[in-house]
Amino acid sequence: MLRARITLVVIVAVVAAIVVTLATSYRGVSELVGDQIDRSLNDRVDAVIAVLPAVLPERSDTIEQLLSADGTAHPVAPGRMPLPVAESDRAVARTGSGTAEYNLDLDGEPYGILTKPRPGGGAVMVAQRYRESERIDNEFLWRTGGITAIAVALSALLSWLAIGRILRPVRRLLAATEHISSTQDLSVPLPPTGRDEIGRLTGSFDTMLTALRRSRAQQHRLVQDASHELRTPLTSIRGSAELLQRAKGRLGPEDETQVLNTLVQESAALDDLVAELVELATDQHTAEELAELDLPTLAEDCAQRFRHRSGRTITVTSDQPGPVLARPRALARCVDNLLSNAIKFSPPDTPVDVHIHHTELTVRDQGPGIAADDTAAIFDRFYRAANTQGTPGSGLGLAIVGDIITAHHGTVFAEHGSGARVGFRLPPLAQSPGRGRRS
């Protein structure tokens, strides 16, 4: 379980920090106690030398002894344990210079012994018991060990509670995503988001889930609309083919030509419809890299192709144009669809005007115009206005424009009146959401 693993990591880190601190503290305390005992032993020897021949008050933790120059030992206080005399002690007493310092066990207890020369000859030996030093060390270890155990237990408890609180949103998010994964129900709400990293993660999941809901809804609507729209050309093709099959060559030349023309036209319309359906379903324009584009240049390139193709007069004008960040081929497809739509619904030999203002591109034709109620609906898939029902087309051209411009964080618009005025607006280059991803 993630909570247990994180808690274990925290406890290990706390224990490691405490052990390092404990070892460092113990070493410092031990050195401090040792230095204090050494100073106490040295001070005791100096005090004995200073007061001789008088005798200092006895201490339970020290034993004092005099050495003559020949190495004979004389206890300072009668009845005290005699100290063993080493050769180093005799050398100090004989020469009257230097010191001798060492440790030994007396009756099973550790002692430190210091021998210093005595003015006038001989030396003084003092032994000090180290039991107090060991007591301090043991007490320090027990106390710090107990404090360490309490600190570890408290850290474990606090870590368990804090990590549980931190991971609670993660568990909620996990439960929601597992439910969505098992049921495929995209309507399941995610837990509320916060301002921390987990909240941002939840927000990202919610954004992704919203996109999935929208994509699924669009796919369902596309399938429903496509099945309806495909039925018309398929019915016409099937009817014409069945007519030819039943006639078996008995049709007149004019009737046969008309049936064949119907087959060719409906097949071409079906081919265009399938191509546009594939483009809508696959979102091919999203795979293209973003680039900085000049709208007047792009519009002029598209207009030039349509001038050669249709022979129409297409003018491109601009007013304070600004650069945009977009996918070149996708945006060119938008302009092509707008020009194709304008040429399709305007009388022959009438001009088509393209105007760019800042980052807004508008295509205007001289056709019947758009009714006020249709200005928003014309960007829906397969929508055909009442006055354009007899005009060939799939009803997907402006829907593709809407999808591409929306993917670029722009907006599409249409205005009713004399002739149609249709276009799009894109964010300026400095405000484009995709600016940081430009290659």
Side-chain angles (χ1 to χ4, degrees):
M1 189 171 62
L2 180 60
R3 183 180 184 181
R5 290 199 296 267
I6 296 178
T7 303
L8 180 61
V9 171
V10 172
I11 292 175
V12 170
V14 170
V15 170
I18 292 177
V19 168
V20 172
T21 303
L22 179 61
T24 305
S25 301
Y26 178 74
R27 181 177 179 182
V29 170
S30 297
E31 291 178 354
L32 181 63
V33 172
D35 292 342
Q36 184 65 31
I37 290 177
D38 290 341
R39 284 195 298 270
S40 175
L41 180 59
N42 188 72
D43 292 343
R44 184 67 177 177
V45 173
D46 291 341
V48 172
I49 294 174
V51 301
L52 286 175
V55 179
L56 284 174
E58 293 185 11
R59 282 175 41 180
S60 60
D61 62 334
T62 61
I63 300 174
E64 295 83 11
Q65 182 172 275
L66 299 179
L67 285 181
S68 60
D70 60 2
T72 305
H74 307 280
V76 173
R80 300 304 298 274
M81 180 190 304
L83 299 177
V85 180
E87 184 60 34
S88 58
D89 300 320
R90 293 189 180 91
V92 173
R94 185 175 59 254
T95 61
S97 62
T99 60
E101 187 174 2
Y102 53 91
N103 298 326
L104 55 78
D105 289 340
L106 298 176
D107 289 344
E109 293 190 17
Y111 278 81
I113 295 180
L114 176 61
T115 302
K116 279 189 174 183
R118 178 184 175 192
V124 174
M125 293 179 63
V126 176
Q128 181 171 329
R129 190 167 52 236
Y130 281 165
R131 179 185 298 172
E132 184 66 16
S133 172
E134 292 182 347
R135 185 189 67 80
I136 293 175
D137 286 349
N138 292 333
E139 185 175 345
F140 177 80
L141 284 176
W142 278 105
R143 288 186 178 183
T144 52
I147 294 173
T148 299
I150 294 173
V152 170
L154 186 60
S155 298
L157 177 61
L158 293 178
S159 299
W160 182 264
L161 296 176
I163 293 171
R165 183 179 180 86
I166 293 172
L167 293 181
R168 190 176 301 129
V170 177
R171 290 196 297 270
R172 293 174 180 170
L173 178 61
L174 178 61
T177 53
E178 286 179 343
H179 180 74
I180 294 171
S181 177
S182 60
T183 63
Q184 301 297 312
D185 182 10
L186 300 182
S187 63
V188 175
L190 295 181
T193 60
R195 297 182 179 180
D196 55 4
E197 289 78 3
I198 297 176
R200 291 165 56 190
L201 176 64
T202 304
S204 297
F205 269 104
D206 191 49
T207 301
M208 180 179 65
L209 194 59
T210 301
L212 287 174
R213 292 192 196 104
R214 184 171 57 251
S215 176
R216 175 178 287 184
Q218 290 176 346
Q219 288 179 1
H220 287 170
R221 185 161 57 90
L222 179 61
V223 170
Q224 293 172 357
D225 293 343
S227 63
H228 173 73
E229 293 297 325
L230 286 171
R231 190 174 292 113
T232 300
L234 286 175
T235 300
S236 179
I237 291 174
R238 180 177 179 178
S240 298
E242 289 177 349
L243 177 60
L244 289 176
Q245 184 183 38
R246 288 195 303 268
K248 295 182 180 181
R250 294 193 300 271
L251 288 176
E254 294 182 359
D255 293 335
E256 185 174 346
T257 299
Q258 183 178 357
V259 172
L260 291 175
N261 288 339
T262 300
L263 283 172
V264 172
Q265 292 172 1
E266 293 297 339
S267 298
L270 184 62
D271 183 65
D272 293 339
L273 179 58
V274 170
E276 291 182 334
L277 283 173
V278 170
E279 181 174 353
L280 278 174
T282 58
D283 288 336
Q284 295 177 359
H285 56 272
T286 59
E288 190 180 2
E289 292 293 332
L290 293 168
E292 185 176 329
L293 299 177
D294 180 63
L295 282 179
T297 302
L298 178 70
E300 181 59 36
D301 292 341
C302 296
Q304 188 62 28
R305 290 197 303 272
F306 277 86
R307 291 189 191 107
H308 291 300
R309 187 184 305 170
S310 64
R312 289 289 186 99
T313 299
I314 302 175
T315 59
V316 179
T317 58
S318 60
D319 174 23
Q320 298 179 345
V324 296
L325 190 65
R327 297 174 176 87
R329 290 194 300 273
L331 200 59
R333 178 64 188 274
C334 290
V335 178
D336 287 347
N337 285 7
L338 292 177
L339 289 173
S340 176
N341 195 69
I343 292 173
K344 183 191 304 181
F345 294 107
S346 59
D349 301 327
T350 57
V352 174
D353 298 322
V354 182
H355 183 70
I356 296 97
H357 176 67
H358 296 307
T359 58
E360 176 184 294
L361 185 145
T362 307
V363 177
R364 183 173 183 177
D365 59 48
Q366 305 299 321
I370 303 171
D373 296 338
D374 294 332
T375 53
I378 63 172
F379 293 100
D380 293 340
R381 296 171 180 177
F382 303 108
Y383 183 82
R384 302 294 295 273
N387 58 349
T388 62
Q389 294 292 333
T391 306
S394 64
L396 292 174
L398 293 183
I400 292 175
V401 174
D403 282 0
I404 294 176
I405 296 303
T406 300
H408 284 78
H409 305 279
T411 57
V412 291
F413 61 88
E415 298 178 2
H416 70 281
S418 177
R421 190 171 180 269
V422 187
F424 58 81
R425 300 182 188 91
L426 290 174
L429 180 62
Q431 302 175 11
S432 177
R435 187 179 185 184
R437 300 189 298 270
R438 185 169 69 246
S439 57

